[in-house]
Amino acid sequence: MRRARAALARAVAEVSGQALGPYQSAVVRIGFAGTWLFFLLREFPHRAELYGPDGPWSQELAQRLLDSNGAFTVLTWSGSALWFETVYAVAVLASAGLLLGWRTRATSVVFMIGVLSLQNRSVFMGDGGDNVIHLVAIYLVLTRCAQVWSLDARRARKRGSVTAGAAGPVLWGMLGAVFAYGAATGRFGPGWLAAFAAVWVACGLWWLVDRHEPEGEGRAALDVLANLLHNAGMLVIMAEVCLIYATAGWYKIQGSRWQDGTALYYPLGLDYFTPWPGLSALLAGSGTLVMLLSYGTVAVQVAFPFTLFNRRIKNVLLVLMMAEHAGIAVLLGLPFFSLAMIAADAVFLPTAFLVWLGARAAALRVAAPRALRRPERSPAEPSPAPPPPETGLRPDPALERGTG
């Protein structure tokens, strides 16, 4: 009993005393923010048809659906093109800010608002990758995902505090004004209003304590709360990934095409999923390869949640799943779905590999400017003469004076 209590006390101290998986949370932040940013930039010419006033899903239909399911979007606050363009631009900027880890507490909230606003405005425009981004955008608000590989971490090292500077209060002041307007006009549902109010008050309290009492008990209590929320958010993300693969794998088992190993053959013959027709035809022409890939997909997805307690097997299956999604991006033309799933898989990457990867990236970042600053000798410039060989003999002083 005493050992059990001691083990429980150590576990509680570990969970509340630190934000676990800082590198994994940073990779998830970078992966999902980058995926959504690239998607918004690629669809920029078609933004009005996808999520704006020119889309087939009208403002009235969107509002009726929101009234029935209680989802959140700010795009129904106004039907003007200017409001839509503003929201889209803010979503792009928030994605870039979250990708870089700049003022992450504020940009993660704005990122979530942008994702929810665009996706809930036109619910039939997304796919499975959009659903994953939708959920992870909410979970990232709970995490301390900028402890490494971020501008916030760099600011904390240089100035001693993440909240240094005036940009943070300005951002939270603007968010507070938007929340106040939404609350006054009844734009928020009761659940969303309470959630946004709690986030705004908690972050404001954090800023005050960090500025005026950085070493006191109040800051220690807020650190414990932040660590608990971070670890809970990371646990939910991991559980979500396991649930996605488990349900996908077990549903595939029930399909007759997956049972006979021909499921992959059919999408390879559809024009919508064949960006490289020659490559798709080459793969579809091999029945053995199609069968192996079909069965292998099901086996990996079903087995993955059961391998989390075996590090070696888990890492092998993780590589296979990432390779599978890379193949989906190339063969089926679904790059953003694949990027979202690879970013979700990254939550299980080993810390040692991520530390090594970060060290290699830092070394390349340092080496690149040095290579650019190195002077280049023109082809016509003669090479400098090599120094004379060392003979161990001292030269004649008379020869040095020119009087020999």
Side-chain angles (χ1 to χ4, degrees):
M1 182 63 70
R2 186 174 300 174
R3 292 183 178 178
R5 289 179 180 177
L8 180 60
R10 286 195 299 268
V12 171
E14 184 176 4
V15 171
S16 61
Q18 60 179 329
L20 301 175
Y23 292 95
Q24 287 81 359
S25 62
V27 171
V28 171
R29 166 181 59 83
I30 294 170
F32 279 96
T35 300
W36 186 243
L37 175 62
F38 296 152
F39 173 78
L40 294 180
L41 294 178
R42 192 196 73 167
E43 300 299 339
F44 188 81
H46 315 291
R47 61 193 183 282
E49 291 81 6
L50 287 175
Y51 305 112
D54 297 339
W57 192 247
S58 66
Q59 190 87 340
E60 292 76 17
L61 290 174
Q63 188 60 56
R64 288 171 58 184
L65 182 60
L66 293 174
D67 293 338
S68 63
N69 61 14
F72 171 79
T73 178
V74 299
L75 287 178
T76 56
W77 292 9
S78 173
S80 67
L82 178 60
W83 175 244
F84 167 73
E85 297 293 346
T86 301
V87 172
Y88 200 93
V90 170
V92 171
L93 294 176
S95 302
L98 188 63
L99 173 66
L100 299 174
W102 181 78
R103 303 290 176 180
T104 313
R105 295 186 188 278
T107 52
S108 63
V109 176
V110 182
F111 176 78
M112 179 190 69
I113 293 174
V115 170
L116 297 183
S117 296
L118 292 173
Q119 291 187 356
N120 290 335
R121 171 60 179 84
S122 299
V123 294
F124 298 109
M125 293 298 177
D127 55 18
D130 293 305
N131 294 335
V132 177
I133 295 174
H134 189 107
L135 295 173
V136 175
I138 300 174
Y139 305 147
L140 282 176
V141 177
L142 304 176
T143 63
R144 308 180 74 174
C145 54
Q147 290 187 317
V148 296
W149 299 345
S150 67
L151 297 180
D152 285 350
R154 181 183 180 185
R155 187 187 317 110
R157 289 194 301 269
K158 289 186 174 182
R159 302 187 183 182
S161 174
V162 179
T163 60
V170 171
L171 283 174
W172 285 109
M174 296 173 61
L175 281 174
V178 173
F179 296 157
Y181 171 78
T185 57
R187 305 288 186 179
F188 290 109
W192 289 106
L193 178 60
F196 284 127
V199 170
W200 194 82
V201 171
C203 291
L205 182 62
W206 179 281
W207 183 85
L208 288 173
V209 172
D210 189 70
R211 282 296 181 92
H212 301 289
E213 195 182 356
E215 302 296 336
E217 295 181 358
R219 172 57 190 271
L222 290 177
D223 272 330
V224 170
L225 178 60
N227 291 334
L228 290 175
L229 289 176
H230 167 90
N231 295 328
M234 293 295 291
L235 179 62
V236 171
I237 292 175
M238 291 188 287
E240 179 193 337
V241 175
C242 292
L243 185 62
I244 289 172
Y245 285 121
T247 54
W250 286 106
Y251 271 107
K252 285 182 175 67
I253 289 177
Q254 303 175 39
S256 59
R257 295 293 178 260
W258 290 100
Q259 292 175 5
D260 59 25
T262 61
L264 184 61
Y265 173 82
Y266 298 97
L268 293 176
L270 299 176
D271 293 337
Y272 186 79
F273 293 108
T274 53
W276 310 98
L279 183 60
S280 299
L282 180 64
L283 179 59
S286 174
T288 302
L289 188 57
V290 168
M291 181 189 66
L292 291 176
L293 290 176
S294 299
Y295 285 157
T297 299
V298 176
V300 168
Q301 290 182 351
V302 171
F304 179 74
F306 301 100
T307 63
L308 296 182
F309 299 102
N310 189 307
R311 183 177 302 176
R312 294 183 178 180
I313 299 178
K314 182 263 295 183
N315 291 338
V316 172
L317 291 185
L318 196 59
V319 172
L320 292 177
M321 288 192 301
M322 289 184 172
E324 173 192 345
H325 290 303
I328 291 174
V330 175
L331 289 174
L332 303 182
L334 298 172
F336 297 104
F337 166 78
S338 298
L339 285 175
M341 292 307 303
I342 291 175
D345 295 340
V347 74
F348 294 105
L349 287 174
T351 302
F353 169 74
L354 293 176
V355 171
W356 174 84
L357 188 64
R360 295 293 300 172
L364 292 176
R365 184 183 60 188
V366 173
R370 292 180 179 176
L372 294 176
R373 289 196 303 267
R374 184 178 300 169
E376 296 184 0
R377 182 173 50 86
S378 60
E381 182 181 350
S383 301
E390 295 289 339
T391 61
L393 301 177
R394 299 181 63 183
D396 189 351
L399 293 177
E400 290 186 350
R401 291 192 302 267
T403 59

